[in-house]
Each structure stands twice: as structure tokens, then as C-alpha cells.
Amino acid sequence: MMHLYAKGRKLGPRGRDMFLWGHGNSKYEIEALTETPGILKSEVFESSYEEAMKKFEKMVDKVKML
């Protein structure tokens, strides 16, 4: 079961929405919308919740916890 932990806006002039998903068993996914409608860019990785949140915070301007 997937769980949405946080969302934010990508840093830079073309800021896009980004999301931090948890897949369970220390597996996380950072997902970003692209300029092309319906196309997403994502990175799936294994880490602790704290490390996943730190990585996400470095990629966005402001984190909104959900």
C-alpha cells in the first residue's frame, strides 16, 4: 500500500509539483510532474524515513506534510 507523505514545488524557474510516497519496507519514491501532461518522472529508493525526507527537502522549496 502506498502512502503520500509530503508534497512541494521543485526548485528553479520551472517549478513543478513533487511528491514523496512511501511504499512500505523502507522503500520510497520521489515523483515529479513534467512539462508534458500525463508524464511523470520518478525515483524509487530504499532508506529510512528521515533520510527520504531530507532528500525530498533538498529538492523542493517548501515541504507540505500530508
Side-chain angles (χ1 to χ4, degrees):
M1 181 168 89
M2 292 177 52
H3 185 270
L4 180 59
Y5 286 109
K7 72 176 187 175
R9 292 285 285 181
K10 184 176 182 177
L11 295 173
R14 294 183 177 170
R16 301 282 180 207
D17 289 332
M18 296 184 75
F19 307 93
L20 175 62
W21 293 92
H23 292 274
N25 297 328
S26 299
K27 192 177 281 189
Y28 296 91
E29 178 179 7
I30 295 176
E31 182 178 75
L33 300 177
T34 65
E35 294 180 15
T36 307
I39 303 295
L40 302 172
K41 181 179 179 182
S42 68
E43 175 185 357
V44 178
F45 57 96
E46 290 187 23
S47 74
S48 67
Y49 170 79
E50 292 81 12
E51 291 299 316
M53 188 57 71
K54 285 179 188 177
K55 185 173 187 170
F56 185 70
E57 287 173 341
K58 290 179 184 178
M59 300 173 87
V60 298
D61 59 352
K62 185 178 177 183
V63 175
K64 181 177 179 183
M65 301 299 291
L66 301 170

